[in-house]
Amino acid sequence: MGAYLACEGIYRRAASQMSWLLKREVSHSSIQRMVCQVGNRIADGEEAERRSVFEAGEAIPGGKVKADVLFGESDGAWLHLQREKRRSVEVRVGTLYSGKRPLVKNRYRLADKCSLVSLGISGSAWQEQVLKAAHRYYDLEQTWLLICGGDGNQWVRHTFQGFGMQQEFVLDRFHLSRAARRAMGNRHRAHEMVKKLRQQGFPVVHQELMQLIEQASGKEKNEIEAGLSVY
């Protein structure tokens, strides 16, 4: 119960709520221990399942959601730690969905969404978690294309590489615009380039980018070339 209450807020609030329910004092440190105990049991169960699937070769139960095309997005955020040997840790977030459904004007919701979050694991372990979650939720035998989105980081690009189907990577609009501004050095020109890129495709702007590289020199040239290699 303490771990469940802690999911809804801070430990002190969970301790207050549990104290009221049990009619006896429960400290926030007790809530913390409960969270650690539950978390360790969940982690042990996930590790046992990972070994049975990716080492022993057991089949993953297939999901029931059918989709010809799936969309996958992943990103990460760094959290600062307190009283730990490591000063920070990366939280990885992944989302899969089959499309978007309109709610009201200019607002949409993700259809058939499957999300997961992981803390402080390696890239290969993250790929295994995403693949396992996808198999449990979707009937991947019916899916022929996966469109992946993200910020261009290597681990983001590799998040869905174990799916064994055709994939296309799409750079998200924020990082696309930022890369264009860094390359062009002019917000208006960058906006026009992004507009052409999104509406007509990369071949339309390729020559313009190559001209930028030829005209640039030193650090500026290196930054543009690095941006092209990533984006």
Side-chain angles (χ1 to χ4, degrees):
M1 182 188 297
Y4 175 81
L5 292 173
C7 293
E8 302 296 324
I10 61 176
Y11 289 165
R12 293 185 185 277
R13 181 186 300 169
S16 176
Q17 293 170 337
M18 195 167 182
S19 297
W20 181 83
L21 288 170
L22 299 180
K23 307 303 181 186
R24 63 180 177 84
E25 187 66 24
V26 178
S27 67
H28 67 277
S29 58
S30 296
I31 297 294
Q32 183 183 28
R33 287 193 294 271
M34 295 176 193
V35 170
C36 290
Q37 290 171 358
V38 173
N40 287 334
R41 288 200 296 268
I42 293 174
D44 291 342
E46 290 181 343
E47 175 60 19
E49 186 179 44
R50 186 198 68 80
R51 290 179 178 177
S52 66
V53 171
F54 296 102
E55 294 181 10
E58 293 185 13
I60 305 174
K64 297 182 179 180
V65 177
K66 301 181 185 298
D68 293 333
V69 178
L70 279 178
F71 300 84
E73 299 178 10
S74 58
D75 201 356
W78 287 93
L79 298 181
H80 296 291
L81 302 178
Q82 297 179 350
R83 297 183 294 277
E84 298 288 344
K85 293 181 179 179
R86 298 172 60 183
R87 300 188 63 181
S88 60
V89 65
E90 187 175 25
V91 179
R92 303 189 183 203
V93 182
T95 301
L96 287 158
Y97 56 97
S98 62
K100 296 182 179 180
R101 295 172 181 165
L103 289 176
V104 293
K105 185 178 180 180
N106 297 327
R107 291 193 63 186
Y108 301 86
R109 66 178 299 176
L110 302 183
D112 304 317
K113 183 175 69 172
C114 174
S115 299
L116 66 157
V117 179
S118 192
L119 179 68
I121 64 173
S122 65
S124 59
W126 170 245
Q127 293 169 23
E128 291 174 348
Q129 282 197 4
V130 173
L131 180 60
K132 184 176 63 175
H135 268 286
R136 287 189 177 280
Y137 193 75
Y138 302 101
D139 182 0
L140 295 182
E141 295 293 331
Q142 305 296 320
T143 305
W144 65 273
L145 175 63
L146 176 62
I147 300 177
C148 312
D151 61 8
N153 190 292
Q154 286 301 312
W155 77 259
V156 172
R157 286 177 175 267
H158 295 160
T159 292
F160 306 99
Q161 70 177 12
F163 278 55
M165 64 180 66
Q166 180 182 344
Q167 296 186 21
E168 296 290 342
F169 183 81
V170 179
L171 186 66
D172 67 73
R173 288 184 291 179
F174 170 79
H175 289 90
L176 177 61
S177 297
R178 186 176 70 175
R181 289 196 302 271
R182 288 176 175 176
M184 306 292 290
N186 180 287
R187 184 176 294 271
H188 177 71
R189 289 181 63 194
H191 175 75
E192 292 299 318
M193 175 179 285
V194 170
K195 184 177 179 180
K196 288 191 292 185
L197 180 60
R198 295 184 62 201
Q199 293 180 354
Q200 303 176 49
F202 184 76
V204 176
V205 301
H206 180 261
Q207 187 60 37
E208 186 175 357
L209 289 172
M210 297 307 296
Q211 290 176 357
L212 281 174
I213 292 176
E214 292 177 0
Q215 295 170 2
S217 61
K219 182 179 179 181
E220 182 183 6
K221 183 174 183 178
N222 293 335
E223 288 180 351
I224 297 175
E225 290 178 334
L228 277 176
S229 66
V230 173
Y231 299 110

